[in-house]
Amino acid sequence: MTVGQAGVARVQDVQAAYMEMTRRKRLYGMVMLVVFIALMVSGFRVADGRNAGGFWDGIGNIFQFPKEVLSEAGEKIANLPGLMVKFLPSLLETLNIAGASTLLGAIFAIMISLLATRGLAKWPRLIGVFRRIMDIMRAIPEIVIALVLIFILGGGPVPAMIAIAIHTTGALGKLFSEVNENASLKPVEGLHSVGATWAQRMWLGVIPQVAPNYLSYALMRFEINVRASAILGFVGSGGIGYDLKNAFSWGQGRYDEVAAIFLLLFATIVVFDQISGHYRNKMIGKG
Amino acid sequence: MSATSDTAGTAAAPFDATAFFQRKRLMAIAVPAGILAYFVYIFFAFDIPGLAERARMDNARILVADSFSYKTHVTRDNRMGGITIAVEGENKGTWPEGRSPDWVQVESADRAVVSLKHGQEVLLDGDTMRYDVPGYGMIAAEVSRRGIALDLPAGETPDWISASNARVDITTDAGRVILTKARSEVMRYHFGWELFWFTLDSPFYGKSFGELIGLAVSGDRLVEGKSNLAAMVHDVWNNRMWQHKDVMWAIFETILMAFLGTMGAALMALPLAFAAARNFTPLMVVRAAVRRVFDFLRGVDALIWTIILARAFGPGPLTGALAILITDTGSFGKLFSEALENVDRNQIEGVQSTGAKPLQRYRFGVIPQITPILLSQVLYYLESNTRSATIIGAITGGGIGLLLTQAMITQKDWEEVSYYIILILLMVMLMDTVSGWLRRRLIQSDDSGH
C-alpha cells in the first residue's frame, strides 16, 4: 500500500465516522423532538381536561371581558381621571412595597453574598451553609410567606414587603456572589496588609468595584418586584392589587375602576421598565 | 465601574484629588443617609409602630404548634348522648365504634375517662365533667338545658379558664376542655401528623414500618382480592384525611402550567423574534410594531392576563398556562431578538454559499448559534415559572396554590399548610435541579458540533 492509498483510506474512515456521528445526532434530535411534541400535546390535553372551561369554548370569549370593561369605561370616561387620582395612594403603596423590599433584600444580599464568595468570606468553612440559605430563600414563593404573615400580622403592606424581601435576598444574593467572584482581590489584600477589619476590607475594597453591577441587578429586581407586589396585593395584602380585587369581584358597575387600575398598572410597569432599562444600559456601558 | 473609571478618566486632565475625595466622601454619607431616610418614611407609611398591636402572636403560636402536632377530640353529645373520638374533630378521622386510642377508656356509651399528659385525667359521665388539675384543684361542671353549672375551687378564676353560662373553655398544658350546651369536648395534643399514611378505616392503620414490610411480602391478604402491597398503595393514595391523590395532582398541575406556558411562549416568540431583529427585518415599521407587541404583552403583566383569561376559560391549569404563555411571549421575544441581533453573519453567508434556501439558512446558519442562549433562558424561565404558577394558581384557582390558599382560609388545618409548603419547596428545588442539569447537558452537547 502506498502512502497515498493509506491517506485515502484514512480520509474515508474519517468520513464514514463523521457521517455515522451526524446520523446518530440527527436521530437523537428527532427522538427529542418527537418526545417534546408528545409532551406538549398530551400536556395540553390534560390541562384542557382539568380546566373548568375548555380551550375551544373559551377562545371565542377571550375578548368578552375586555370588551365589557372597555364599554363600561367608555360610557363613564369622564370618571377615569378622577378614579386614577383616587387610586394613586394605593399605587404609591405598591411601589413602596417594591422599593422597600428591594432595598432590604439588596442590603441582606450584599452581606450574605460576601459571606458566600470564595476568597472573600469571613468564615470560609460556612460558604456552603450560606449558599444553601440563599437557595432556600430563593425557592420559597413569595405567596407562601405572605399568606402566613397575613395570618399573624394582619393585612397591610408589611407581610408583602417581608415576603418579597426574603425572595429578593435569595435571588440577588446569587447574582451578587457571581459578581463578587470577578472582583479583583488586590485592594482587599492591600487593606488587609494595613490591618483593616473584614468589614472595612469589604466596604472599601470590594464594594466600590462591584457597586455598578449590584445597582444594575437591583434595578432589574425592582422591576420584577413591582409586578410581584401588585400580585400579592391581589391575593391579600395592601396596595393597588387589593383595590383591583375589590373592584373586580364587585363585577359589572365598577368596571370603570377596573379599567382605571389596569391603566395605572400598565403605565407604571412600562415606565419603570423603561427607566431601569435606560440606567442599566448606561451603567453596564460605562463598566 | 464608576469609582475606577473616574480615576482613569481624569488621569489625562490635571487631577484634583481634593475635590475628588470630597465628592466621594459626600457620596459615602449621602447614599446611606438617603436609604435611612427612605426607611424612616416607610416605617411610618406602613404604620409599623401600630403593627405590634395588630400582630396576633397567639395566632403564630397556634400555627407553629399545629404544624407539627395534632389533636384528638373526645366528644360527648349533650343533646343526643353518646361519645365519639375523632382526630382533629373531623368526620373522616373518626374512630370506629368499639375502638379507641389507649389513652381513652370508654366505660359505657355515656362515660369515658380521658388521660391527658402529665398523668392528668378528665372524666366525662353523662352531663357531668370532672377534671382534677394538680396544684389547682377539682373542676366540676354539669351541663343542663339552662346552661353550664361550673364548680371551681375557692379563689379567683385563673386566666386559663374562661367561663360563661353558655360556654366554658379550660386550656392547660396537658390538653383542653370545651363545654357548651351542645357538647362536651376534651382535646389532647400529640406530636406528629396523624393518619398521614393510613386512615382509621384502613386495616393497615397503627402498624409499624417493619410490620408493613412483613405484610407486603407475606401472602396473607388483609383485603379480599388484592395483594397487600396494592391495598396499601390504594389506601395511602386515597387517604381521605390528607388527600394525597388530590395534592399530587395539584403539584402536577402546577408543573404542567409552568411547562406548557414556558415552552408555548418560546415557540410563539421564536418566529416573532426574527421579525423584531434588525438584521433579519430591514423594514422599520414591522420591527417597531412587533416590538411594541412584546412591550404590551410584558407590560400588561401576568396578573391582568390571568384575570382576563380566567373570565374566558374558567379556573384551572389551562388558564394559568395561557397566562404564563402570553406574558412570557413578550419576555422571550425581547430576549430572543437581542440574541438574534448578535449572531455572526459569516456563518449564515457560509451556509448561503453552498446554495441554501432562506429556511435552510435559518436552520443551519442561525439556529445553532442561538440555541445555547435560547435554551438557557427557557430553562431559567421554566424554573422561575414554577413559582409563578403557584401564585397564578392562587389567583385563578388551580394547582397547589389553590390548595394552599384554601387551607389557609380555614385557619385550622395548619398541618396541611406546612405539608403543602414543604411540597412546594421540594417542587421548586426539583425544577431548579432538573433545569440546571438539562442546561448543562444540552448546552454542553451542543458545543461539541452542530
Side-chain angles (χ1 to χ4, degrees):
Chain A
M1 211 194 293
T2 65
V3 180
Q5 274 172 327
V8 168
R10 205 155 54 228
V11 166
Q12 273 167 349
D13 279 354
V14 169
Q15 206 164 26
Y18 176 77
M19 288 313 285
E20 176 61 26
M21 199 180 82
T22 317
R23 251 199 304 279
R24 213 173 42 230
K25 264 198 109 80
R26 236 174 242 167
L27 185 72
Y28 286 161
M30 280 301 284
V31 168
M32 276 189 46
L33 193 69
V34 169
V35 168
F36 177 75
I37 291 172
L39 273 177
M40 285 296 283
V41 171
S42 58
F44 172 80
R45 294 178 63 124
V46 171
D48 195 28
R50 295 184 72 81
N51 214 62
F55 179 75
W56 302 113
D57 300 331
I59 195 90
N61 301 331
I62 201 161
F63 292 109
Q64 197 177 341
F65 175 61
K67 211 161 66 192
E68 282 171 24
V69 170
L70 282 180
S71 71
E72 191 172 330
E75 282 165 27
K76 303 180 189 165
I77 197 144
N79 288 351
L80 273 188
L83 283 173
M84 281 165 95
V85 172
K86 177 183 153 197
F87 290 118
L88 267 187
S90 316
L91 181 67
L92 187 67
E93 188 167 81
T94 294
L95 288 177
N96 273 333
I97 291 172
S101 58
T102 310
L103 261 180
L104 274 178
I107 290 170
F108 285 117
I110 291 175
M111 289 193 261
I112 201 165
S113 73
L114 289 173
L115 290 171
T117 308
R118 234 172 278 120
L120 297 176
K122 190 169 166 63
W123 306 287
R125 286 183 181 189
L126 295 183
I127 285 177
V129 176
F130 286 115
R131 291 212 172 149
R132 286 296 90 70
I133 293 176
M134 285 195 289
D135 286 347
I136 292 174
M137 287 176 117
R138 208 171 52 239
I140 308 175
E142 288 126 347
I143 188 175
V144 170
I145 304 171
L147 286 174
V148 170
L149 287 177
I150 288 169
F151 178 62
I152 297 170
L153 301 177
V158 181
M161 179 185 79
I162 298 174
I164 300 177
I166 289 177
H167 183 73
T168 303
T169 306
L172 281 183
K174 187 184 180 211
L175 294 170
F176 284 4
S177 74
E178 277 163 18
V179 174
N180 294 344
E181 266 166 18
N182 294 325
S184 160
L185 286 177
K186 282 183 186 150
V188 183
E189 281 156 15
L191 282 163
H192 196 52
S193 70
V194 295
T197 63
W198 182 78
Q200 286 170 329
R201 291 202 298 273
M202 294 303 123
W203 182 245
L204 302 168
V206 181
I207 300 289
Q209 296 185 53
V210 292
N213 293 42
Y214 277 10
L215 253 176
S216 148
Y217 280 133
L219 272 176
M220 192 171 72
R221 198 70 223 175
F222 176 69
E223 232 178 275
I224 299 171
N225 285 349
V226 171
R227 295 158 187 259
S229 88
I231 289 193
L232 283 188
F234 193 88
V235 182
S237 79
I240 198 151
Y242 190 66
D243 290 327
L244 177 60
K245 186 193 180 166
N246 286 341
F248 176 70
S249 45
W250 185 273
Q252 218 135 20
R254 272 167 73 175
Y255 278 162
D256 50 338
E257 290 189 4
V258 173
I261 295 172
F262 275 9
L263 276 177
L264 273 180
L265 256 182
F266 179 65
T268 313
I269 287 171
V270 169
V271 164
F272 278 97
D273 261 23
Q274 296 295 333
I275 294 178
S276 102
H278 176 75
Y279 278 100
R280 267 189 295 142
N281 282 341
K282 220 166 112 178
M283 257 174 304
I284 302 286
K286 223 173 152 188
Chain B
M1 310 221 163
S2 64
T4 45
S5 62
D6 275 356
T7 37
T10 41
F15 178 55
D16 188 352
T18 334
F20 175 69
F21 274 104
Q22 214 146 36
R23 208 167 64 233
K24 289 218 87 159
R25 213 169 283 156
L26 193 72
M27 281 288 279
I29 294 182
V31 171
I35 292 175
L36 195 68
Y38 183 66
F39 278 134
V40 169
Y41 159 68
I42 288 294
F43 187 79
F44 291 105
F46 285 3
D47 190 24
I48 291 178
L51 197 68
E53 278 168 43
R54 277 180 284 131
R56 301 271 314 271
M57 278 309 147
D58 49 334
N59 276 353
R61 220 167 304 128
I62 293 173
L63 194 159
V64 172
D66 236 32
S67 58
F68 58 80
S69 69
Y70 69 94
K71 58 186 189 302
T72 309
H73 300 223
V74 180
T75 312
R76 194 257 167 180
D77 190 325
N78 289 338
R79 296 214 166 100
M80 318 285 285
I83 288 174
T84 50
I85 307 165
V87 174
E88 295 290 349
E90 286 181 47
N91 203 11
K92 44 198 178 187
T94 307
W95 283 76
E97 197 86 26
R99 278 171 63 198
S100 69
D102 51 9
W103 48 272
V104 182
Q105 264 93 50
V106 182
E107 292 171 354
S108 73
D110 247 359
R111 187 183 157 96
V113 179
V114 184
S115 324
L116 299 182
K117 276 183 233 169
H118 316 306
Q120 300 180 21
E121 272 187 357
V122 179
L123 170 71
L124 289 174
D125 186 6
D127 289 338
T128 63
M129 187 282 302
R130 291 167 75 80
Y131 182 12
D132 193 7
V133 182
Y136 178 65
M138 174 68 77
I139 305 170
E142 179 158 11
V143 181
S144 66
R145 211 169 297 154
R146 289 186 307 282
I148 302 159
L150 189 65
D151 185 15
L152 294 176
E156 211 176 306
T157 310
D159 61 355
W160 43 270
I161 299 179
S162 85
S164 73
N165 190 35
R167 183 186 159 93
V168 173
D169 189 338
I170 306 163
T171 310
T172 68
D173 58 350
R176 190 172 177 191
V177 180
I178 296 174
L179 303 171
T180 62
K181 279 186 223 173
R183 61 175 82 89
S184 310
E185 235 173 341
V186 185
M187 301 167 199
R188 179 177 169 161
Y189 291 85
H190 292 267
F191 179 78
W193 290 349
E194 181 63 343
L195 312 180
F196 185 77
W197 300 112
F198 300 109
T199 42
L200 290 163
D201 52 10
S202 161
F204 303 103
Y205 172 77
K207 302 246 188 301
S208 73
F209 187 64
E211 283 175 312
L212 288 174
I213 292 195
L215 279 171
V217 290
S218 87
D220 309 332
R221 291 187 169 178
L222 292 192
V223 181
E224 281 300 314
K226 242 189 242 176
S227 78
N228 278 337
L229 191 63
M232 275 181 218
V233 171
H234 174 267
D235 283 1
V236 172
W237 186 241
N238 293 300
N239 183 326
R240 282 185 304 151
M241 203 72 180
W242 288 86
Q243 297 172 322
H244 296 297
K245 186 168 77 179
D246 298 340
V247 174
M248 286 306 140
W249 262 110
I251 292 272
F252 174 71
E253 273 184 7
T254 306
I255 295 178
L256 187 65
M257 278 190 237
F259 174 76
L260 282 181
T262 315
M263 296 304 165
L267 291 179
M268 300 280 280
L270 190 57
L272 286 175
F274 278 96
R278 197 179 309 127
N279 42 353
F280 292 97
T281 309
L283 265 176
M284 239 287 276
V285 192
V286 179
R287 231 159 57 211
V290 177
R291 282 189 188 182
R292 288 299 86 75
V293 170
F294 289 158
D295 286 345
F296 176 76
L297 293 179
R298 271 170 350 110
V300 172
D301 195 38
L303 171 63
I304 299 175
W305 285 125
T306 308
I307 294 174
I308 292 175
L309 293 170
R311 267 304 171 88
F313 298 105
L318 185 73
T319 312
L322 288 174
I324 294 176
L325 190 151
I326 293 182
T327 320
D328 281 356
T329 301
S331 317
F332 281 148
K334 187 165 178 248
L335 288 167
F336 291 178
S337 66
E338 279 164 10
L340 281 172
E341 283 179 358
N342 291 327
V343 295
D344 186 1
R345 279 225 77 88
N346 293 341
Q347 290 193 29
I348 307 172
E349 278 161 17
V351 175
Q352 193 174 10
S353 70
T354 63
K357 295 186 186 70
L359 213 60
Q360 287 169 324
R361 286 211 298 273
Y362 289 154
R363 165 66 187 84
F364 295 102
V366 183
I367 297 286
Q369 287 193 57
I370 57 166
T371 325
I373 307 172
L374 245 75
L375 272 179
S376 88
Q377 291 292 349
V378 168
L379 289 171
Y380 169 74
Y381 267 80
L382 178 65
E383 183 243 315
S384 124
N385 277 339
T386 317
R387 274 192 303 272
S388 312
T390 313
I391 299 188
I392 287 175
I395 300 172
T396 161
I400 192 77
L402 176 70
L403 287 190
L404 182 72
T405 40
Q406 278 177 344
M408 288 243 168
I409 287 165
T410 62
Q411 303 212 335
K412 61 187 178 70
D413 301 326
W414 292 110
E415 67 284 348
E416 275 167 34
V417 172
S418 44
Y419 174 47
Y420 297 154
I421 291 178
I422 291 171
L423 281 179
I424 292 173
L425 271 182
L426 288 178
M427 174 184 74
V428 174
M429 285 179 160
L430 174 85
M431 292 303 278
D432 195 8
T433 318
V434 169
S435 92
W437 178 80
L438 270 178
R439 198 157 39 209
R440 274 192 305 277
R441 269 337 276 285
L442 292 175
I443 291 172
Q444 219 169 39
S445 69
D446 221 83
D447 281 346
S448 59
H450 300 300

